[in-house]
Amino acid sequence: MSTLTFDATASQDLLDTAQALDPLTIELRRAIHHDPELGLQLPNTQKRIVDALTGLGLDITLGESTTSVVADLDTGRPGPTVLLRGDMDALPMTEDYVSDFQSQHEDRMHACGHDAHVAMLVSAAQLLSENSDELTGKVRFMFQPGEEGFHGARYMIEEGVLDGVDRAFAIHVLSNAPNGLIMCKGGPLMASADVFQYTIEGKGGHASMPHYTVDPIPAAAASVSALSTLVSREVDASKSGVVTVAHIEAGTTNNVIPPSAFVEGTIRTLDEETRNKLRAGVERVATGTAHAHGCGCSFEIVPGYPVTVNDVEQAKAAGEVASSLLGGDNFLEMPTAVMGAEDWSYVLQKVPGSMAFMGVCPDDLPIEQAAPNHSNLMRISESKLHYGVGLYAAMAMAR
Ligand code: NI
């Protein structure tokens, strides 16, 4: 291949080859779905990946600080190194949808489709290694643990996963988008996500004699109200920001004023300037409001993932490849970013690349009834997983 587009015959051949791998893709996806693992240490998932890749002629490196897997396909011919990524981890929640391969663990579930990402990427590795005469350079398969808040990509970057990489591509499935639809855009794709936490410190006492106390509850309530005007009053209306208080805790019973109140929430933005502004603003408003009520305030930001920014050229390339492979009807240029977050952002800070979403709405459900990612009832269609396999492979073949 020498361009970004594939002619009709080449596209059909590639999709047929990807579809012929369906038994492998689906079996692996179900095995991982049945045995979800959390965080940075996923030994069973790692073993399944290594077993599936063994014999394909790939150079496999296991992570040192995590159970990551990096597999290189080296054609021996000069050319770029293209990185393809699949994240591996599940979520700490109970799966309530009954199937033969329902999670066997009460408190873990693949509710974000990372089981499908791993399976599609393993099949893409098989497809590409069997058709390596169509490639030049190298393809690096990045199997990454710890996407769900554990900064797994950062550990892999520290261990050198991006060394020599020229461009990078990832797919994320969405269970409430049309099955087989690929969606992408250049520029900001997903938000930054920082956690804020603060404790308002007052002085406890009898609920009948508040004048002997410094009540932290009105201060906490006032701070939540004050935070709700931050975005509307301080963020440029053409930019995006979300400040949500999601957790508030104080007191134990009806006749005791507690000594403190705890508040936490999330800050989402699509650019670093707004991110810094809102982080400082939340701290100023929370501590200032506490002080206005005679309370103290201990405040902390727990930094989360940065903004995920697709390289404009690479996102355009992904759109062209997807359109030529799957037909224009199966590609949508996204009009707006989404306010979820991704640690793929760390990769895109270092190398040009993109992430595309792929719809996997179950075949038996209308979109509006499909449980979204992170739902206890989330499930996916497996009937077009070969689109994802084909797209991964095509992104490595396209020049
Ligand atoms: Ni995810």
Side-chain angles (χ1 to χ4, degrees):
M1 302 286 169
S2 58
T3 67
L4 290 177
T5 51
F6 298 78
D7 67 34
T9 314
S11 290
Q12 198 52 53
D13 282 355
L14 183 54
L15 277 181
D16 287 348
T17 312
Q19 194 164 18
L21 293 168
D22 265 359
L24 172 79
T25 313
I26 292 169
E27 189 190 329
L28 182 59
R29 186 249 150 182
R30 291 182 177 191
I32 294 172
H33 191 89
H34 186 54
D35 184 17
E37 296 178 292
L38 304 178
L40 297 168
Q41 304 303 327
L42 295 73
N44 298 350
T45 310
Q46 183 190 48
K47 181 172 188 307
R48 287 192 170 94
I49 292 167
V50 171
D51 287 351
L53 297 178
T54 299
L56 297 181
L58 306 174
D59 182 9
I60 296 176
T61 311
L62 303 185
E64 287 160 27
S65 54
T66 76
T67 52
S68 64
V69 180
V70 178
D72 278 0
L73 171 58
D74 188 350
T75 65
R77 290 183 288 278
T81 295
V82 179
L83 180 143
L84 305 172
R85 176 266 213 166
D87 44 4
M88 299 158 62
D89 57 324
L91 286 155
M93 57 190 284
T94 301
E95 176 165 38
D96 287 324
Y97 186 77
V98 178
S99 70
D100 294 345
F101 50 95
Q102 181 180 7
S103 172
Q104 61 183 319
H105 305 292
E106 176 69 20
D107 53 355
R108 302 181 220 161
M109 174 185 177
H110 267 291
C112 201
H114 300 183
D115 49 345
H117 303 165
V118 168
M120 292 191 299
L121 191 57
V122 163
S123 287
Q126 173 148 357
L127 189 159
L128 287 167
S129 65
E130 286 169 0
N131 295 275
S132 61
D133 51 329
E134 308 223 12
L135 293 166
T136 58
K138 273 191 199 177
V139 186
R140 177 164 298 163
F141 303 94
M142 171 184 179
F143 295 92
Q144 182 215 304
E147 192 288 317
E148 298 287 359
F150 294 87
H151 304 262
R154 223 170 56 193
Y155 292 91
M156 294 187 74
I157 292 169
E158 280 161 15
E159 290 176 16
V161 72
L162 298 183
D163 294 354
V165 170
D166 296 289
R167 53 195 170 88
F169 178 68
I171 297 176
H172 202 301
V173 299
L174 293 177
S175 57
N176 61 349
N179 192 19
L181 181 68
I182 306 296
M183 295 154 279
C184 192
K185 73 182 278 295
L189 180 78
M190 297 183 81
S192 61
D194 297 312
V195 175
F196 61 88
Q197 297 175 323
Y198 57 95
T199 301
I200 293 186
E201 289 135 359
K203 195 174 120 195
H206 203 291
S208 67
M209 289 170 272
H211 56 293
Y212 288 134
T213 75
V214 180
D215 189 347
I217 290 182
S223 71
V224 174
S225 297
L227 288 175
S228 70
T229 62
L230 254 186
V231 171
S232 75
R233 299 299 83 192
E234 295 189 30
V235 173
D236 179 336
S238 65
K239 305 253 171 86
S240 299
V242 176
V243 173
T244 294
V245 172
H247 180 196
I248 179 163
E249 219 170 291
T252 51
T253 185
N254 70 84
N255 58 357
V256 172
I257 288 173
S260 65
F262 174 78
V263 181
E264 72 171 337
T266 185
I267 302 171
R268 307 287 171 123
T269 70
L270 294 177
D271 66 277
E272 287 299 317
E273 192 191 332
T274 308
R275 184 187 190 193
N276 290 332
K277 186 170 204 168
L278 284 178
R279 294 212 291 197
V282 170
E283 177 165 11
R284 188 191 76 237
V285 168
T287 54
T289 309
H291 293 155
H293 286 74
C295 295
C297 184
S298 56
F299 184 93
E300 191 185 6
I301 294 273
V302 184
Y305 297 154
V307 183
T308 302
V309 184
N310 274 350
D311 179 87
V312 171
E313 288 303 314
Q314 291 298 317
K316 193 165 153 242
E320 284 176 29
V321 170
S323 299
S324 81
L325 180 68
L326 305 170
D329 289 350
N330 282 309
F331 176 71
L332 175 73
E333 168 104 26
M334 295 165 66
T336 56
V338 295
M339 298 310 277
E342 245 296 336
D343 78 344
W344 182 241
S345 49
Y346 292 123
V347 173
L348 295 185
Q349 283 181 333
K350 306 252 183 218
V351 295
S354 64
M355 167 176 275
F357 294 111
M358 177 173 135
V360 286
C361 179
D363 303 299
D364 58 335
L365 287 180
I367 298 288
E368 44 303 341
Q369 284 177 29
N373 289 37
H374 291 214
S375 158
N376 57 323
L377 296 171
M378 185 268 193
R379 63 193 172 96
I380 69 170
S381 169
E382 294 167 329
S383 66
K384 300 219 168 128
L385 292 183
H386 64 287
Y387 282 20
V389 175
L391 182 58
Y392 271 132
M395 286 299 287
M397 290 170 163
R399 289 290 175 260

